[in-house]
Amino acid sequence: MSRAIVVGAGVIGLSCAARLLEAGHRVDVVARELPLETTSAIAAAIWYPYLAYPRERVEAWGLTTLAVFEQLADDPSTGVVRRHGIELLSERAPRPEWAATVPSFAVAAAVPEPYVGGWNVQVPVIEMPIYLGWLTARVRDLGGTITRMALSHLPRPAGVTVVNCSGLGALGLAQDRSVGPIAGQVVVIEQVGLEHWWMDDASVSYAIPRSETIVLGGSADQDNWSRVPDPAVARAIIARCAAMVPEFGSRLERARIVAHRVGLRPGRPTVRLEEERIGDSRVVHCYGHGGSGVTLSWGCAGDVVDLVGPA
């Protein structure tokens, strides 16, 4: 049995760990932040490719992940639910390339003003606190370990493959200066009866329903390292979402606020998924997923297993 050390306990790290364990490897996950402390825990988490490149690889990873989420949605313990929703368009646009692969894709018959069109579609919505708990249990049930550990550099034990899923941590751990934060702020409100998700990609606005809450977003601030929520941004998010979902607008505005949160997405010109040899050490990098960590997770994890090789 070969051994792998996965650095990072967000959705990418845990997905890679699970797939490696399923392939017969011994796996230990080490991370500065445990799963519910990561940026992944803040994600609104709807299956939707966003802020990740290159497009051709992102599409393939995304479709693989979509197929896995469709299966997981049959198990209530995973926190994955199939939900219909609408993506609103401010300008006319062709159907997205992934339209033919997504169940129930259709052109929206009616949209609120000032939008000019939209897509009605059913995709998985992932309630991240539940899902990360399920993933953590999956890794441990398969014999993996998860340990809090602040690293100053990537470990290099002899005969062990290191899988670098450190996200923004790759700026220091991999000395990758192309990595940078894309700050995203959300407002979590109580559930007021919203069953369908709504999204306006052009203004980075979304209302994503969960079982007991609704995640309203958002923002995408390049090179912003602050995790402190901005009250003005929060007010703007609520106002945009209320206008986007007119039949629920007043309810969204009056709903009790459960939390204000900011997550730092790991931005990079392209996702880095490749093997690197450093002396006698072997590293498989898997980071730089931007706003698509959840959407690409299982597809990237499969490629990581292929790079690591047989157990």
Side-chain angles (χ1 to χ4, degrees):
M1 177 187 295
S2 66
R3 183 187 176 202
I5 295 176
V6 175
V7 179
V11 68
I12 295 294
L14 293 179
S15 302
C16 289
R19 283 291 187 253
L20 287 165
L21 286 159
E22 291 166 355
H25 298 273
R26 173 188 166 187
V27 178
D28 300 295
V29 179
V30 297
R32 183 183 64 184
E33 297 172 329
L34 296 180
L36 291 177
E37 301 165 354
T38 64
T39 294
S40 298
I42 299 173
I46 181 174
W47 183 91
Y48 185 87
Y50 178 64
L51 291 177
Y53 309 94
R55 288 296 186 191
E56 62 277 7
R57 297 192 77 186
V58 163
E59 181 179 357
W61 291 326
L63 293 180
T64 297
T65 304
L66 177 61
V68 176
F69 281 145
E70 287 290 342
Q71 295 176 336
L72 293 178
D74 293 329
D75 181 354
S77 72
T78 64
V80 181
V81 178
R82 300 180 187 93
R83 286 192 186 272
H84 284 89
I86 183 168
E87 179 183 357
L88 297 165
L89 302 175
S90 299
E91 299 178 355
R92 300 291 179 185
R95 294 189 181 204
E97 296 178 358
W98 44 261
T101 66
V102 177
S104 305
F105 183 94
V107 176
V111 297
E113 294 182 351
Y115 297 102
V116 300
W119 316 125
N120 281 320
V121 61
Q122 175 185 283
V123 293
V125 173
I126 301 92
E127 192 157 345
M128 290 307 290
I130 297 173
Y131 181 63
L132 288 172
W134 177 84
L135 261 182
T136 297
R138 176 69 178 159
V139 169
R140 288 176 171 154
D141 289 346
L142 288 167
T145 68
I146 301 173
T147 303
R148 185 192 297 277
M149 187 180 299
L151 300 174
S152 59
H153 58 273
L154 291 174
R156 298 181 183 178
V160 176
T161 299
V162 173
V163 181
N164 177 22
C165 303
S166 59
L168 277 177
L171 180 63
L173 294 178
Q175 295 295 298
D176 187 343
R177 301 304 174 188
S178 69
V179 180
I182 307 172
Q185 182 166 331
V186 299
V187 182
V188 183
I189 63 172
E190 65 180 338
Q191 177 58 270
V192 293
L194 187 68
E195 295 183 357
H196 296 166
W197 56 266
W198 292 72
M199 179 186 301
D200 172 7
D201 187 37
S203 66
V204 196
S205 300
Y206 47 85
I208 311 297
R210 292 178 172 177
S211 56
E212 298 181 0
T213 59
I214 302 169
V215 181
L216 305 180
S219 63
D221 299 326
Q222 296 274 354
D223 299 321
N224 182 356
W225 285 96
S226 175
R227 298 191 186 202
V228 179
D230 183 329
V233 172
R235 289 191 294 270
I237 287 171
I238 294 171
R240 291 201 313 269
C241 289
M244 183 176 63
V245 193
E247 61 265 45
F248 272 86
S250 60
R251 281 189 262 181
L252 297 181
E253 289 176 319
R254 296 197 305 265
R256 178 177 60 87
I257 294 176
V258 176
H260 295 276
R261 292 180 179 144
V262 176
L264 302 182
R265 307 177 183 97
R268 194 175 186 273
T270 61
V271 175
R272 187 181 187 190
L273 205 167
E274 63 183 4
E275 179 183 353
E276 181 183 18
R277 295 281 181 169
I278 305 174
D280 295 331
S281 301
R282 183 180 184 224
V283 178
V284 174
H285 296 287
C286 185
Y287 63 84
H289 297 81
S292 295
V294 175
T295 298
L296 307 182
S297 54
W298 291 111
C300 288
D303 279 10
V304 165
V305 173
D306 290 343
L307 286 173
V308 171

